[in-house]
Amino acid sequence: MASPSRAWFIVPVGEPDPRDSRPLRFPSAFAFLGNGALLVLELIAGRVIAPTVGVSLYTWTAVIGVVLAGISLGSWIGGIVADRRPARSILSLEFLLAALASVLILVFDSNLDSVAASFSWPTIWQVVWLATIIFFLPSVLIGMVTPMIIKLSLNSLDATGRVVGRIRAAAEVGAIVGVFLTGFILIDAFGTRTIVVTVALTLGALAILSSPLWLVAWGRLRRPRRAQG
């Protein structure tokens, strides 16, 4: 079994490796796709819980409020994690956990009655409960990635404003594209379950692409060339 020091690119334990804190290539693309995925989930949330609680102002209020709460908590936790250990391996893990949490939406979608609140509860609490159970965790996990992307992109305090502004702008543009694309095209063309699967696969791909495993592999490929030289 590999020692923790050799497995840092899979599980971020042990002493930090300098390769793990190298900046991402195209960080704005990661922010764009991550936040876009979140807004896609938010827009289909109403359709997921509609069979149990119906579609109403209460439903959308609960969904929007729960997702915003998840983003807020995720941003706060993600900021703390990013300051304590800025690492591509942690970003990769955050994307992976977000992908798994998105898959859980499909599990809940098939068993809504088993997780729904009692009909004796007021309608407001029924929709808030269901939205929280299904969508709060994915919102928290996706909300955690942007602070880490920003942290990994900061090479100088002199450029903090530009870096934060650029990545936040990319994230919000991703959210706008996700909303319009889902509302106008994706739901009618593919349906809820296919969209959720696509979101999970997208987040999983981001987990793979952000992993420092590529840096390790590249370094090992270059060693034989140096030895030959």
Side-chain angles (χ1 to χ4, degrees), residues 45-46 48-50 52-70 108 112 115-118 121-139:
V48 171
I49 66 178
T52 301
V53 296
V55 179
S56 66
L57 179 60
Y58 288 162
T59 303
W60 286 110
T61 301
V63 168
I64 294 171
V66 165
V67 170
L68 289 176
F108 287 126
L112 284 178
V115 296
S118 170
W121 288 24
T123 303
I124 294 176
W125 293 115
Q126 289 183 39
V127 295
V128 170
W129 167 261
L130 204 55
T132 301
I133 288 294
I134 301 175
F135 293 101
F136 185 69
L137 182 59
S139 301

Side-chain angles (χ1 to χ4, degrees), residues 189-204:
F190 301 105
T192 298
R193 297 183 69 84
T194 301
I195 294 173
V196 174
V197 170
T198 303
V199 167
L201 291 175
T202 300
L203 293 171

